């Protein structure tokens, strides 16, 4: 049998619950995959951690699985590797030993609430004009400060220049390119924009914010574009010599994979959380309505493209909670089956503020609530309330986005969707009903990994540019609004009432 001479791009998707490797062909179709879940570590209420060494181990194994599943494909067939990752999760490690000084602190973790209060000095938007972000537990900078303040010897090592920091893309790329044997310490503009430490306008680290957080700048990775060659796969690895040529934070990667290249185009990813991004072009729009201003992508030497983002902490993870903590279902897909046993939510509303409320409220002290209960409500109504909570939260973000984008003449006309929850057609229809615009799902659902693959492939000339991405994108399903406006507004008004019941739940003694 003659050897396979076809060429492919691999994406490594280092996510919140698992690490995956996916091989794509030139048409953007999946050739093979590998995936391993990693442990979710909960040392105490509100704390969420991952083991960085387990993540790196699983990345290597996922790559091996992916190559094994592809049968006759090896590193010589792979022209580039793209990395996408959980964005705000922070890792600090020793550059001489390669050992993390502490577990990765995950984006969902809320332990830095008091640090954020102290940094704010009475103004949660203290740094927002420069970095686009409010002071919140969500972002990586305060997480790094916590590690330096609380791990014995960490601050001294950092000030000597012995420690490195990064979001998980930096950790993976550093190890992939050799680690202590000369690993490349980089990140891209999309991930850097989630630390609170980067200037949105210059795309450089901000010395004043770093100083305010007590983070030595020697720890920081070099900021690169989202599509260029950063280094090559290490000797002895499965991808030896293969260019690592794309990095995009997971939500920006999905936006890129969904071909949202024009101002006003938006996508929502339904995963552990929900993340809606709207392309605002080369214009930085500072939100006045509780959203984040972030870098959408930057291709090589081209100008950066910006986005407005609404981040929702709990979406798919609420379904997991119903499965694992309540035992109402045995499999995540059963939530839709259970929800369709009833016609509506029976008056029940579930606000999943398990780690506070993200956009547009940014209330760290909110906690989850199930309200509107009567003797009439059964588990079917609760299942429907679980599904509907994701759509209601997305509508809140979409309305804030519309308010911010109005002055720039940007309007949402349809919403592209991706992520595991888009298989739930009840959710997708309810989402269209709540937004009043069409909801569109692509044929290739793995848009996060695909976006990272496109960024890497464009860097090495495998794809010519954005037009190839547009040509490869194809619609799989579309949901149009079906409910009348009175019903839409009635249910949304009750949802907003339910949200207010979660405010100010945590006091200083019970954080």
């Amino acid at each position: 049998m003659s050897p396979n001479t076809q060429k492919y791009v691999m994406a490594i998707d280092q996510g919140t619950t698992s690490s995956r490797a996916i091989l794509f062909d030139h048409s953007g179709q999946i050739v093979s995959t590998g995936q391993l879940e990693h442990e979710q570590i909960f040392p105490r209420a509100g704390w969420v951690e991952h083991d960085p060494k387990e993540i790196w181990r699983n990345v290597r194994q996922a790559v091996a699985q992916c190559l094994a599943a592809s049968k006759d494909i090896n590193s010589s067939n792979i022209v580039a590797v793209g990395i996408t990752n959980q964005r705000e999760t922070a890792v600090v490690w020793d550059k001489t030993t390669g050992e993390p000084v502490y577990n990765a602190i995950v984006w969902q973790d809320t332990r830095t609430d008091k640090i954020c209060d102290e940094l704010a000095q009475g103004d949660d938007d203290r740094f927002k004009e420069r970095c686009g972000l409010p002071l919140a537990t969500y972002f990586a900078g305060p997480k790094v400060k916590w590690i330096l303040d609380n791990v014995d010897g960490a601050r001294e090592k950092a000030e000597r220049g012995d420690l490195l920091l990064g979001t998980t893309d930096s950790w993976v790329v550093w190890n992939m390119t050799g680690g202590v044997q000369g690993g490349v310490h980089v990140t891209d503009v999309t991930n850097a924009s989630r630390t609170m430490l980067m200037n949105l306008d210059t795309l450089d680290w901000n010395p004043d914010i770093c100083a305010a957080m007590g983070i030595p700048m020697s720890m920081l990775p070099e900021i690169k574009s989202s599509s260029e060659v950063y280094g090559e796969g290490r000797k002895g690895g499965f991808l030896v010599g293969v260019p690592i040529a794309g990095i995009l934070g997971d939500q920006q990667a999905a936006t890129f994979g969904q071909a949202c290249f024009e101002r006003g185009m938006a996508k929502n990813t339904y995963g552990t959380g929900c993340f809606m991004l709207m392309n605002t072009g080369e214009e930085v729009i500072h939100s006045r309505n509780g959203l984040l201003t972030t870098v959408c992508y930057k291709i090589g030497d081209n100008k950066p493209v910006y986005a407005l983002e609404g981040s929702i902490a709990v979406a798919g993870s609420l379904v997991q909670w119903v499965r694992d903590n309540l035992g109402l279902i045995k499999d995540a897909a059963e939530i839709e089956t259970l929800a369709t046993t009833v016609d509506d939510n029976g008056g029940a509303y579930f606000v999943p503020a398990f780690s506070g409320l993200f956009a547009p409220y940014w209330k760290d002290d909110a906690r989850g609530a199930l309200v509107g209960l009567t003797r009439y409500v059964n588990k079917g109504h609760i299942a429907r309330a679980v599904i509907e909570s994701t759509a209601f939260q997305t509508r809140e973000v979409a309305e804030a986005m519309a308010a911010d984008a109005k002055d720039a003449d940007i309007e949402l006309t349809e919403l592209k969707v991706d992520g595991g929850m888009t298989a739930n057609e009840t959710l997708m229809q309810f989402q269209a009903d709540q937004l009043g615009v069409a909801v569109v799902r692509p044929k290739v659902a793995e848009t996060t990994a695909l976006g990272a693959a496109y960024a890497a492939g464009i860097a090495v000339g495998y794809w010519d540019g954005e037009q190839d991405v547009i040509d490869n994108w194809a619609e799989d399903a579309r949901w149009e609004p079906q409910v009348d406006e009175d019903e839409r507004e009635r249910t949304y008004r009750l949802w907003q009432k339910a949200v207010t019941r979660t405010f100010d739940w945590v006091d200083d003694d019970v954080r």
Side-chain angles (χ1 to χ4, degrees), residues 350-351 392-393 396 491-499:
F350 202 142
V351 185
F392 283 130
Q393 290 179 97
E396 289 179 317
T491 55
Y492 187 57
R493 183 177 67 253
L494 288 168
W495 162 262
Q496 291 180 306
K497 194 177 189 179
V499 171

Side-chain angles (χ1 to χ4, degrees), residues 148 151-163 216:
L148 296 183
V151 175
D152 286 346
R155 181 162 295 284
E156 291 77 10
K157 283 186 175 181
E159 290 174 353
R160 288 200 305 266
D162 294 337
L163 299 185

Side-chain angles (χ1 to χ4, degrees), residues 82-96:
I83 309 292
T84 184
N85 59 291
Q86 49 172 326
R87 296 172 297 177
E88 298 81 8
T89 297
V91 187
V92 176
W93 69 98
D94 190 308
K95 69 180 182 183
T96 57

